[in-house]
Each structure stands twice: as structure tokens, then as C-alpha cells.
Amino acid sequence: MAQYPDLKLFIAGEWRTAGGAPVINPADETTLGTVPHASRADLDDALAAAQDGFRAWSRTAPARRAEIILRATQLIRERVEDLAVAMTLEQGKPIAQSRLEIIRGCEIIEWDAQEGRRVYGRIIPSEPGMRHSVLRQPIGVVAGFSPWNFPMSSPARKVGGALAAGCSIILKASEETPAGAVQLVQAFADAGLPRGVLNLVFGVPSEISEYLIPQPSVRLVTFTGSVPVGKHLSALAGAHMKPAIMELGGHSPVFVCDDVDPASTAAKSVVGKSRNAGQVCVSPTRFFVEDAIHDRFVESFTQKAAALKIGNGLDPAIEMGPLANERRLAAMDALVTDAKAKGARVTTGGSRIGNRGYYYPLTVIADIPDNARAMREEPFGPLALISRVRNLDEAIEKANAVPYGLAGYAFTNSARNADLLAERVEVGNLSINHFTASTAETPFGGVKDSGIGREGGVEGLQCYTVVKNVSRLTA
Ligand code: NAD
């Protein structure tokens, strides 16, 4: 029997238990454990600990900070098999994807730790006798909120950035997939991270965010989740004059130009779309396919999607697991029903598989009209929407017509097309001829409703710092 860890809060360097809510395995709807809910007193203790932790950690040499952080990721790498099983149990993704996510989480934290040694300020040339020095300092206590779709790599983004910059953090991870964060924090505790630098809480999300964000000691808010919640938390942060990093939803366009092979592009697209059952903010969703190859692309996509092996992610042969919660099943059904009523053609999938476990097939919807709800609302699930376009201009216009602007993808062999897309598509991350939206060293984030700020890369680390200009009369 696979192992699922005890779920606890981590406050001031100690694990605490509390009553809470059940965690459900989406593959069979059984209960895996109970996620503890933090009380007001727990949150107050976490705030006090994080202030103490900040004082100590911000004054620790960057090289020493990196040493402790890298010891933690080494422990995570050694524990990857156990961590992957727990992640698949609570989130549903295939075990191979869980392993990859854990390694990717380590890569993110490791890159941040190493880059944390190079958070340079600068000297501004000035008149003789005056010295202007620009210091980049850690911003302070961070309140981080991570979602249920990436239980390890999303907390890794927030913890990695904060700790590498010299900040302390109170992480409120997802109550639906808490084990990833618990195991991440355990590794930092085992690595000797000083008490209070990293604190982990769970509870009712709105109650925790509304209590923590206004607290004077909290100096930065970072959230990954939906656009409506992101707008609410940004407003709350703004009301208290705090910067916010918001990684929100997306509705990624995929431009399929008529100079590529439709069958191999469709095969890659099925792999990209089925990743984490489409529950990814950068999931490829709106496929704009040029007329000349449209029919062959739809045919290949349909065949490959129908052949996907769907089931319990603990089975290594499985290619797509269940959806993570029951809400996603209802959301898929509503969007498919609406698209069909508006004249779209479902070429494969379209309804729940079985009645135990939240299984839903990769569903291909062709001839989808622009006014279908799925074309404007983020499906956040395994729906591939395929539209026929006359040319790239039409595709770009349609792609930019939604309020989202997170990731985009394009398949073309033409440098001219690639340049045009790079220039005109309104997204934070554009990937040409592949489906990887970001890596540890590249800045990741959105434009328009998809968010503000960046995670990853030099830009991501800078979000955890403030700038101070010190001018000194030297003569
Ligand atoms: P939701 O809008 O209720 O919640 C989204 C996330 O925000 C969850 O992790 C939730 O715990 C958290 N949350 C909700 N209210 C909060 C509050 N007041 N304070 C702090 N955190 C809060 O939706 P859901 O059903 O959980 O997820 C579905 C939608 O969320 C999708 O449509 C998708 O757009 C979005 N989502 C996006 C990402 C992402 O990676 N950007 C991840 C998960 C969910």
C-alpha cells in the first residue's frame, strides 16, 4: 500500500496538529488523510516566527543561505519516489509526471539559491565627492498562496524565490493537495533551516488571506490561482500598499501554420494538452490551424486523443489521470454542452468516464464558434478547441481577443512567421515549435488578466527585493 504522509502545520520550526478537512484521492474518491486548519493563534505565532526568521535569515551570508537551501533540495531528490506516490495519490497525475514535477521543483529552488548569491546593487557615477550606491535588499516577510494543480513546483517557486532573496515566508498551500508542501517543508526542516524562516499553514483560504495580507509585518503577497481570486487578493494587497506577484489563469493559443507536418504536430499537441489532464495555467487550449492542413490535423489529433491510456496515475502505463476534483468534471460538462449547442463538433470524448474517480477523456472540439463559452473562459481541463483560420493575421487577432495573456505556442518552419508572432501575440511566454512554457532560469508570468510580476529568472528573484539608494558625501 502506498504511503501518504501525516499532514501538519509547521510554525516556528515545529510541527503542529489540528482538526481540519478530509483530503480526497481523485482516482477512487477515498479519504487519504485530514488537512489541519490553522487557528488565529496559529497564524499569530506564524507571523511572529516569520518576523524573527526574517531578522536572522536576512543577515545570513548568501553563500550560507545557498548551502542550506541546496541541502534541502538534495534531500528532496533522495526522497523523490515517496514524494511522487503521495503527489499522485492526492492530485491524480501520472506518477512519471509527479517525479518530473518534483525534480523541476528542485531545479527551480536550486537556480534561485545560486542566483541569490548574485543579487547585485550598483554604483551610480556622480559628481566628485558624492557616492550613490543602489542596494537591493530582501523585502521582508512574504505571504505565499499556492494551488492544487502543482503541489510541489508551485510552492517551490514561492519558497525558492523568498529564501534565496533573504526573506522569510508563511506559505498557505492547497488544502486539496497538501502533501507536496508538507514534504517540501520537511526537507527544509531536516536541512537545518533556522526556525521561523519557513512556515506552513492550511485553513479556509479566504479567512487566511484576509487575516495575513493586512498584517504590517507582511511585505509581499504571492499567489497562484484563478483570475477572480487574484484580483481580489491584489486589491487587498493594494489597499495595504503591498506589492503582489500574481500568476493567474491562461487560455493559451496554439498557432499551427500550414508549413508544418499536421500529424506530428497533432501528436505533440496531444502530449502537451494531456499533461496534468489539462489542469495547467499554460495548457495549450485554442488551436488555430491554417486551412490547408486543418482537416488532417483534426483527424490525427482525434486519433491520438482517443488512444490515450487514462486511469489511476499510480499505474506506470497510464498517460492521463483523473481530474483533481469534482468541480472540474462539472466545469467540463458545462463547457462541452454549451459548445455543442452552439454548433461545435465533438470528435472524441465529451462525457465523464465511469462514476467512481473523476475521470474525463481528452475531448476534441472542432468547428468551435468564437462565441462558445469555452473559447472565452479558461477550461482548466482536458478540452482541445480547434478553429480553422485563413491565415496568421486572423489567428493572431482571435488569439488576442480574450482578456488572458499567459502562454502561447506556435508551430512553423518560417522565421518570418516566428518573428511576426513574437512581435504581436499578447502573452508573457511564447514557445515556438515546442510545449515548454518556462524553465527555472527564464522569467514566467502573464500580461493582461493573467497576472503581474514574474516567477523564475532574474526578474523573479528581484520581485522579492526592494531597492534603496544610499548617497554619501565623501569629501
Ligand atoms: P478557485 O477560484 O476557487 O480557487 C483557485 C485557487 O485559489 C485555489 O487554490 C484556492 O485554494 C485559492 N483561493 C480561493 N479563494 C482564495 C482566497 N480568498 N484567498 C486565498 N486563496 C484562495 O477555483 P478552483 O475551483 O479551486 O480552481 C479552478 C480555477 O482556478 C481554474 O479555472 C483556474 O483558472 C484556476 N487555477 C489556476 C491555477 C494556475 O496555475 N494559475 C491553479 C489552480 C487553479
Side-chain angles (χ1 to χ4, degrees), residues 252 254 256 261-275 278 283-289 293-308 320 345-349 361-366 381-387 411 435:
S252 303
V254 185
V256 184
D261 172 48
S264 62
T265 308
K268 285 180 215 159
S269 301
V270 168
V271 174
K273 182 73 239 183
S274 60
R275 179 173 163 243
S283 188
T285 296
R286 292 173 295 150
F287 292 82
F288 297 108
V289 186
I293 59 165
H294 172 272
D295 293 351
R296 279 178 292 154
F297 182 81
V298 172
E299 192 185 331
S300 298
F301 203 125
T302 303
Q303 276 172 9
K304 296 273 182 207
L308 271 182
M320 193 168 92
R345 184 163 55 96
V346 174
T347 66
T348 184
L362 206 172
T363 296
V364 180
I365 309 182
L383 304 190
L385 318 174
I386 307 184
S387 301
F411 289 84
F435 276 115

Side-chain angles (χ1 to χ4, degrees), residues 366-416:
D367 302 332
I368 184 158
D370 294 340
N371 68 349
R373 272 180 56 198
M375 288 294 276
R376 307 199 60 81
E377 294 170 28
E378 182 183 25
F380 217 67
L383 304 190
L385 318 174
I386 307 184
S387 301
R388 185 193 297 271
V389 290
R390 287 185 310 275
N391 53 43
L392 210 46
D393 280 335
E394 182 190 353
I396 294 171
E397 194 174 320
K398 287 188 171 187
N400 289 345
V402 294
Y404 299 98
L406 190 56
Y409 308 91
F411 289 84
T412 180
N413 289 310
S414 150
R416 191 164 176 275

Side-chain angles (χ1 to χ4, degrees), residues 238-256:
H240 295 272
M241 203 47 70
K242 296 174 186 184
I245 306 168
M246 291 284 146
E247 297 298 346
L248 308 180
H251 206 313
S252 303
V254 185
F255 302 91
V256 184

Side-chain angles (χ1 to χ4, degrees), residues 119-125 131-136 467-470:
V119 181
Y120 301 133
R122 70 187 199 278
I123 305 289
I124 299 176
R131 167 66 61 94
H132 292 295
S133 318
V134 179
L135 310 183
R136 249 186 203 283
V467 162
K468 183 187 286 171
N469 189 63
V470 179

